Amino acid sequence: MPTRAPDRAPRDLNQSATTGGVGDSPTRPDGPLKVKGEFAYSSDLFMDDMVWGATLRSPHPRALIRSIDFAAALALPGVDAVLTHEDVPGCKLYGLDVRDQPVLAIGEVRHQGEPVALVAADHPETARRALKLIQVDYEVLEPVVDARRALFDPESPRVHPDGNLVRHQPVRVGADVDDPAVRARCAVVVSGEYEVGIQDQAFLGPESGLAVPAEDGGVDLYVATQWMHNDLLQVAPCLGLPEAKVRMTLSGVGGAFGGREDLSMQIHAAMLALRIGKPVKMVYNREESFFGHVHRHPASMKYTYGATAEGKLVFADVEIVLDGGGYTSATSNVVGNAASLGVGPYVVPNIRIDSYGALTNNPPCGAMRGFGAVQACFAYESMMDKLAAALGLDPVTIRQRNAVTQGDKLATGQVVEAPAPVAEMLETLKALPMPAPADTSDLRNLPGSTANTTHGEGVVRGVGYGIGVKNICFSEDFDDYSTARVRLELLGDTVGALVHTAAAEVGQGLITLEAQIARTELGVEQVVIHPADSSVGNAGSSSASRQSYMTGGAVKTACEAVRAAVFARLAEDHGRDYDDLSLVGGKIVSHAEGVIGTLEEVLAAGPIEETREYHHHRTDRMDPFTGQGNSHTQLAFAVHRAVVDVDIELGLIKVVALDLVQDVGKIMNRLSLEGQLHGGSAQGLGLAVMEEIQVRDGKVRNPSFTDYLIPTILDMPPMRMEILENADPRAPYGLRGAGEPPTLSSTPAIAAAIRDATGLDLRRVPIRPEDLTEVPTDA
Amino acid sequence: MRVTFTVNGRRAEADDVWEGESLLYVLRERVGLPGSKNACEQGECGSCTVYLDDVPVCSCLVAAGQVQDREVRTVEGLADGDELDPVQACFIKAGAVQCGFCTPGLLVQAHALIEHNPAPTDPEIREALAGNLCRCTGYEKILDAVREAAAIKAGVA
Ligand code: FES
Ligand code: FES
């Protein structure tokens, strides 16, 4: 048992709603707390005797550590402890997929910002001063910063002893793309080289949490994470504790977007708390946050496509290089995604794809919304436009001529089993009304806005399209199951359902959905959402747009089990069998006999509780040589049309419209869903025109919200959306994961619109003003 | 040093405040009001916005000493007891809250906007909220919420 709970520990969220089932739009159970400022985020936790933890990070991207002298730091009044790798109680390495990351650097640092030492002190400022007193003697080495060199130049230094390659995933389909017979079938062959900069998740809630030492020698951890059980799997061994002694509770999460899939302060805070026997709170500031989590992989991609005169694709020759930075993190799976979705939702008879993930001394990269599919999507959609231009076709036509539909094969040979009306979605999108010409009487409608840079002169409008296909749930033979516990009981004189999972609500609205499913399946109004913690089984990660599918599926399955147990108890009471029962509005109804009992009566004998796991169907690994295999669980499609005004003299951009058609299988909650589609589109807009972690010689040059820009309310246009519901028969309620696809398609749509306006061949996102004016602004 | 001020109508006192401490830190860590958020602590995100004598400010940029004897109103002071302010109620209803980390600052900023401009146009709402970053919503539902709150406060909805 935990020794003590902090003030503002997460608590039950109780919500009663009469129209709050699947398909309705009940409001969030945590909404009232959030608008009152009472929702306990991981940075809000407090205990009277807590102290503050802080992290010393390497200023160098690559260096050897000759010595660490922390005597002066330890002597500073108010400092409780200074720890280095020698103090890690258990395993000294951890990692999401591969344990290659030191808890604290051991003799060497492999990226700027790598944690080297920890301090605990009575005030965050004391802790900061103590960090400054720690003397680390570094032998600075030349960093490995070019991913292609790291991979292909045998002379390149090795970032890790095993070399710089994390994964090479080829995909081979049909004939050799160099075969003259293949080339002879092409009326045109076009090539492009594309780059994607490093994008940051930039969640607003900084990495933070509280570790409370417990009487049993264990620790209670209150943290903001995406996947509690995977944290546990990494944290416990490093602390040298059995998993049962590391109890994790999800505290309020201020956004995630992939950036909380890897550990940040979890082990560090726990180490400090166990060492000094006091609760330890850690909160990164924004600058530290830029170093405290992995980012979206930057990509360098070479594409060559051949097509017939009608615009049918004949071959695709693709090389994708993803820079994973200093440690492996999720790179291997990001490489797999980029490979399997490397040509997107198009039928291509002959394919050669080579997707690589490299280790370098650049910032570590891992999961971010879209996960490998985003980078490829920018390239393959740019190629479709290039092909259209070469053939004199319009961008919609070329896409429709090649788009997959149900029954077609992806590059991996996987047959698209659920409906995939991509061509029709484009038709719907094209038919949406276009925005009016810019009203130049209000500067706020123009590029540059109130900076008064133009009154309309030099402003050109462009239109562009983008299609994205994203795999939903984990792929490649990963059984990312989820678990839910559901209890039906009398709460005073009403019947309530308690839902308990370890699934991370990160803002996406999962708990709203859990309550909706419980209402629909159990016919109750009152639902209580128990705080997510590690006392219930694994729910998998809040990533890959998978929680509606997986934890939604687990809650549904647990509810079905509860319902069956209710019927069984009633049948036993009545001493007979029924085979025609249903649960409607708190009453148990026999099809033949009408109402035969109420939930109140059945539950008077005690609550009914069931815990169930939900697994999706098995998927295959990709063949290591051909990439073939049914590797994906589910596919989801989104298409965007962007309309952009560009001030071609200054290179300023205003996205005027960003319209979307997406197939979600089933609208579970329109309000939450629309919020996901807006938010996902906004992140794609950010990648298209403003967001990049700028790195030079392995060092980050803009770790702040002053210099790393994310879209503001002035940058986002109003969005028109058409949401389709072509059910996926294998998924719960027919739903498809929805959060990621719009992040894929909005970036290339905006890039295409800017190309359309300017006539420039823009090969890189984010597109900067100097890319449009060819005058460097950074001279 | 000791800082004494009024927050949400109540007197607050913080002892042993360090020179460099911000109002945000004092609110969050010393007087038990962590509703104002700490997304950047450098004046760029608006998540820490509070009223200081009726003017919305980034509390991370205000030195604690500056609030001596002044009045602060935070997100925790927007509701009237259990009765949510229309801005708060509309944020929930319109779906303007996802992770909610931007919400406290946006609520104060939107509240101030409607106080000064009871019928803001869309461009006015956008301009007023341009200093408040939100990473989750894409802002569309926030616009919906502010429009509706303004209408309710004006008695037209
Ligand atoms: S925390 Fe004050 S502006 Fe960001
Ligand atoms: S709701 Fe998450 S940052 Fe706005």
Side-chain angles (χ1 to χ4, degrees):
Chain A
M1 283 303 292
T3 318
R4 303 170 294 148
D7 290 2
R8 313 178 126 240
R11 46 175 149 136
D12 281 353
L13 293 168
N14 195 333
Q15 192 190 43
S16 181
T18 43
T19 56
V22 167
D24 297 329
S25 284
T27 55
R28 305 179 61 94
D30 56 10
L33 289 176
K34 284 181 173 174
V35 299
K36 287 193 281 187
E38 292 172 9
F39 186 73
Y41 293 90
S42 57
S43 49
D44 297 341
L45 303 166
F46 184 87
M47 287 178 97
D48 272 336
D49 57 341
M50 73 182 191
V51 298
W52 293 80
T55 313
L56 182 72
R57 295 175 181 276
S58 166
H60 308 294
R62 181 163 179 246
L64 301 177
I65 297 176
R66 293 205 196 98
S67 65
I68 304 176
D69 177 358
F70 54 82
L74 202 51
L76 189 72
V79 171
D80 286 292
V82 181
L83 307 182
T84 69
H85 71 89
E86 290 180 7
D87 303 293
V88 178
C91 177
K92 297 197 191 273
L93 301 176
Y94 73 98
L96 191 61
D97 297 330
V98 179
R99 308 229 148 154
D100 62 352
Q101 203 159 349
V103 174
L104 292 167
I106 308 170
E108 183 175 358
V109 287
R110 296 186 178 84
H111 66 90
Q112 184 197 18
E114 179 162 351
V116 173
L118 303 170
V119 164
D122 58 0
H123 189 285
E125 186 56 33
T126 318
R128 268 193 291 273
R129 289 181 191 178
L131 293 181
K132 291 215 179 85
L133 294 175
I134 300 175
Q135 301 284 332
V136 184
D137 184 8
Y138 290 105
E139 180 184 333
V140 177
L141 303 176
E142 176 91 9
V144 177
V145 295
D146 180 326
R148 282 183 188 276
R149 247 203 87 202
L151 289 171
F152 305 129
D153 179 353
E155 304 288 294
S156 168
R158 292 178 165 220
V159 176
H160 286 260
D162 290 346
N164 300 334
L165 175 68
V166 176
R167 179 176 179 184
H168 167 212
Q169 179 60 58
V171 178
R172 298 288 185 269
V173 176
D176 181 352
V177 297
D178 293 326
D179 185 338
V182 171
R183 301 278 170 153
R185 286 175 46 213
C186 301
V188 290
V189 172
V190 292
S191 295
E193 294 190 12
Y194 299 97
E195 271 180 42
V196 175
I198 307 184
Q199 188 178 22
D200 188 63
Q201 295 83 355
F203 43 70
L204 287 202
E207 290 87 345
S208 50
L210 183 75
V212 186
E215 274 164 7
D216 64 355
V219 62
D220 297 293
L221 262 177
Y222 295 85
V223 291
T225 174
Q226 286 175 235
W227 188 0
M228 229 170 328
H229 282 79
N230 203 282
D231 281 13
L232 189 58
L233 210 63
Q234 299 170 75
V235 173
C238 293
L239 297 177
L241 290 171
E243 283 181 21
K245 285 200 174 177
V246 180
R247 288 157 296 255
M248 305 197 52
T249 304
L250 186 75
S251 295
V253 184
F257 318 115
R260 299 187 206 268
E261 206 163 67
D262 291 78
L263 295 179
S264 58
M265 47 57 68
Q266 286 90 327
I267 303 173
H268 296 162
M271 274 173 64
L272 288 166
L274 289 169
R275 170 62 76 96
I276 64 181
K278 287 185 203 169
V280 173
K281 175 167 172 169
M282 290 184 91
V283 182
Y284 292 178
N285 65 20
R286 181 53 51 184
E287 179 176 354
E288 186 170 20
S289 177
F290 274 99
F291 295 102
H293 60 258
V294 298
H295 316 288
R296 184 187 306 292
H297 289 74
S300 149
M301 302 172 281
K302 298 181 182 173
Y303 273 64
T304 301
Y305 278 10
T308 65
E310 295 73 45
K312 291 286 270 182
L313 284 164
V314 175
F315 78 89
D317 185 11
V318 174
E319 182 189 87
I320 299 173
V321 172
L322 298 152
D323 185 347
Y327 292 98
T328 303
S329 180
T331 295
S332 174
N333 292 318
V334 171
V335 168
N337 262 14
S340 60
L341 302 173
V343 297
Y346 300 108
V347 176
V348 191
N350 305 291
I351 298 177
R352 174 169 72 199
I353 298 174
D354 289 286
S355 174
Y356 301 88
L359 291 166
T360 65
N361 297 113
N362 286 321
C365 291
M368 182 176 171
R369 195 177 199 163
F371 201 83
V374 161
Q375 293 90 331
C377 185
F378 170 60
Y380 65 68
E381 285 301 87
S382 299
M383 286 300 288
M384 295 310 280
D385 288 330
K386 193 166 257 210
L387 207 51
L391 288 161
L393 291 172
D394 79 78
V396 171
T397 307
I398 189 108
R399 287 174 169 82
Q400 287 176 324
R401 290 203 178 146
N402 293 286
V404 293
T405 188
Q406 192 169 21
D408 284 338
K409 281 184 183 166
L410 298 176
T412 53
Q414 177 161 7
V415 174
V416 178
E417 288 186 22
V422 180
E424 293 81 348
M425 289 165 72
L426 278 165
E427 209 54 47
T428 308
L429 182 65
K430 202 173 143 187
L432 291 178
M434 289 293 269
D439 168 6
T440 53
S441 68
D442 187 338
L443 290 181
R444 289 172 293 201
N445 297 321
L446 293 169
S449 190
T450 50
N452 197 10
T453 48
T454 177
H455 291 251
E457 59 289 353
V459 173
V460 184
R461 179 160 285 190
V463 179
Y465 288 83
I467 312 183
V469 54
K470 180 67 186 47
N471 52 324
I472 307 300
C473 302
F474 284 16
S475 296
E476 299 193 67
D477 195 30
F478 198 98
D479 180 17
D480 52 317
Y481 68 97
S482 180
T483 313
R485 180 178 296 157
V486 174
R487 185 163 81 218
L488 206 53
E489 65 186 334
L490 288 171
L491 301 168
D493 29 342
T494 56
V495 175
L498 181 93
V499 180
H500 185 187
T501 77
E505 168 62 57
V506 296
Q508 81 277 47
L510 176 63
I511 55 172
T512 320
L513 193 69
E514 290 173 4
Q516 289 177 258
I517 292 172
R519 285 192 194 101
T520 290
E521 298 301 328
L522 298 173
V524 296
E525 291 175 9
Q526 192 80 21
V527 181
V528 178
I529 304 292
H530 190 279
D533 60 30
S534 57
S535 74
V536 63
N538 197 341
S541 180
S542 289
S543 62
S545 307
R546 62 177 283 287
Q547 287 293 21
S548 298
Y549 193 131
M550 297 308 301
T551 295
V555 171
K556 179 171 189 277
T557 310
C559 286
E560 287 162 356
V562 166
R563 198 168 58 205
V566 166
F567 296 160
R569 192 184 278 180
L570 188 81
E572 200 180 314
D573 288 350
H574 289 194
R576 52 166 288 199
D577 289 339
Y578 296 92
D579 58 6
D580 64 345
L581 297 185
S582 55
L583 199 48
V584 186
K587 300 201 165 43
I588 297 138
V589 184
S590 147
H591 188 66
E593 300 165 39
V595 175
I596 57 164
T598 67
L599 275 179
E600 279 91 343
E601 290 161 16
V602 175
L603 295 171
I608 290 178
E609 178 178 290
E610 298 290 345
T611 303
R612 287 292 182 278
E613 279 178 8
Y614 182 79
H615 299 254
H616 60 66
H617 56 90
R618 282 289 295 270
T619 58
D620 302 334
R621 278 167 209 261
M622 295 174 76
D623 181 277
F625 304 105
T626 66
Q628 299 302 291
N630 295 323
S631 61
H632 295 314
T633 310
Q634 186 184 50
L635 299 165
F637 304 89
V639 298
H640 266 107
R641 182 182 65 194
V643 181
V644 172
D645 283 342
V646 184
D647 178 339
I648 51 173
E649 285 153 18
L650 295 175
L652 299 177
I653 291 159
K654 170 133 189 110
V655 181
V656 178
L658 191 55
D659 299 328
L660 171 69
V661 178
Q662 186 167 337
D663 190 347
V664 302
K666 160 84 184 164
I667 298 174
M668 301 290 285
N669 178 325
R670 183 178 284 274
L671 195 67
S672 307
L673 172 67
E674 289 179 350
Q676 285 299 302
L677 307 189
H678 291 145
S681 301
Q683 290 182 1
L685 180 149
L687 179 60
V689 298
M690 63 183 82
E691 290 186 36
E692 181 175 9
I693 294 189
Q694 297 159 21
V695 179
R696 185 176 289 167
D697 301 329
K699 290 194 184 181
V700 176
R701 303 172 70 214
N702 58 340
S704 74
F705 279 165
T706 314
D707 299 311
Y708 183 93
L709 302 181
I710 65 173
T712 71
I713 196 168
L714 287 172
D715 298 311
M716 269 306 283
M719 285 181 62
R720 263 180 231 278
M721 298 196 293
E722 288 285 333
I723 302 174
L724 311 182
E725 295 183 276
N726 290 297
D728 178 345
R730 291 212 263 205
Y733 306 104
L735 70 80
R736 287 171 206 251
E740 290 173 289
T743 304
L744 273 60
S745 46
S746 76
T747 306
I750 293 168
I754 299 172
R755 285 188 199 110
D756 183 44
T758 61
L760 295 169
D761 177 27
L762 302 164
R763 306 187 301 104
R764 183 180 199 282
V765 284
I767 296 165
R768 300 157 297 189
E770 66 257 39
D771 298 327
L772 301 179
T773 59
E774 280 152 16
V775 180
T777 53
D778 192 29
Chain B
M1 70 181 162
R2 162 178 291 197
V3 181
T4 312
F5 61 109
T6 306
V7 57
N8 302 330
R10 290 191 184 182
R11 229 179 127 64
E13 247 178 39
D15 283 321
D16 303 325
V17 173
W18 287 42
E19 287 305 316
E21 266 177 36
S22 65
L23 171 59
L24 178 65
Y25 185 87
V26 168
L27 290 170
R28 291 178 50 78
E29 304 296 339
R30 295 197 183 271
V31 303
L33 292 172
S36 308
K37 289 289 165 277
N38 54 329
C40 78
E41 297 170 273
Q42 49 190 191
E44 291 293 342
C45 75
S47 72
C48 62
T49 306
V50 301
Y51 278 112
L52 178 58
D53 295 338
D54 295 327
V55 180
V57 297
C58 289
S59 61
C60 69
L61 293 183
V62 175
Q66 277 177 271
V67 302
Q68 180 67 35
D69 298 328
R70 296 173 72 180
E71 246 175 80
V72 175
R73 190 175 175 198
T74 70
V75 67
E76 288 99 332
L78 289 184
D80 184 3
D82 276 347
E83 182 81 14
L84 295 180
D85 184 272
V87 184
Q88 294 173 302
C90 291
F91 261 63
I92 299 179
K93 190 168 151 240
V97 180
Q98 288 188 31
C99 84
F101 212 80
C102 64
T103 305
L106 272 160
L107 289 171
V108 173
Q109 197 67 46
H111 188 269
L113 165 68
I114 299 171
E115 292 281 292
H116 292 105
N117 178 359
T121 62
D122 278 10
E124 286 167 347
I125 299 173
R126 288 184 190 271
E127 209 174 325
L129 302 184
N132 291 77
L133 298 178
C134 171
R135 191 52 158 169
C136 300
T137 64
Y139 303 102
E140 188 121 340
K141 303 286 185 198
I142 292 172
L143 277 159
D144 291 346
V146 177
R147 278 187 215 115
E148 195 180 342
I152 290 173
K153 290 196 179 204
V156 298

